[in-house]
Amino acid sequence: MNKPARFLKDGKLRLPTTEELGFDPAEIRRRYDHERDRRLHANGAAQYQNIDGDLEHYIDDPYVTARIERAPVTEDIEVAILGAGFGGMLMAARLHEAGIGDFRIIERAGDFGGTWYWNRYPGAQCDVESYIYLPLLDETGYMPREKYSFQPEIYAHAQRIGHHFNLYPRAYFQTQIREMRWDAADARWTLGTDRGDVIR
């Protein structure tokens, strides 16, 4: 492979100079380090305000018009998927394709979509090309409308995946994990939720 002559010295590749680059990499690194150091605190997570008391209403899902009412569930399953964003949905779709139907998706939100469920501000758009970012396009037969999809299209695709792979009946929405305990004797996890569920 031919290398540009200006980056060769005695036949060996060399790093370009600051003048050749037009910027100073060391200065860029110093600026990144400065910004990182501004965000690091010795007290870790204690630096953040708890969402309780007068602030507790901020954790409510603003997109749910009615709470899903259901009795607490006690069940043994093969797989529990925590979260209904694209990672959880992709895992569920692959389990479905493999013939494994004994799984549950547990999600605090009222629907599939993860980030794209919660973030609905005007103009919200993904900065990764939709053909790369959106999972399961071939399987669902969907072609994105935009090179960089906007939130409504991404959220609709999450719902499309949920319907295509019949994931809705396997999802517990508006449900939050409160505890996870490992039972070494049975080699199983026990999950407890804010709905009183006990899922092993």
Side-chain angles (χ1 to χ4, degrees), residues 185-197:
D186 283 346
R188 294 179 74 97
W189 286 98
T190 299
L191 311 178
T193 77
D194 62 349
R195 297 298 198 102
D197 304 317

Side-chain angles (χ1 to χ4, degrees), residues 116 119-127 148-152 154:
W116 302 104
N119 295 332
R120 301 187 192 190
Y121 53 88
Q125 184 177 20
C126 186
D127 62 352
Y148 298 96
S149 295
F150 287 89
Q151 183 274 341
I154 301 172

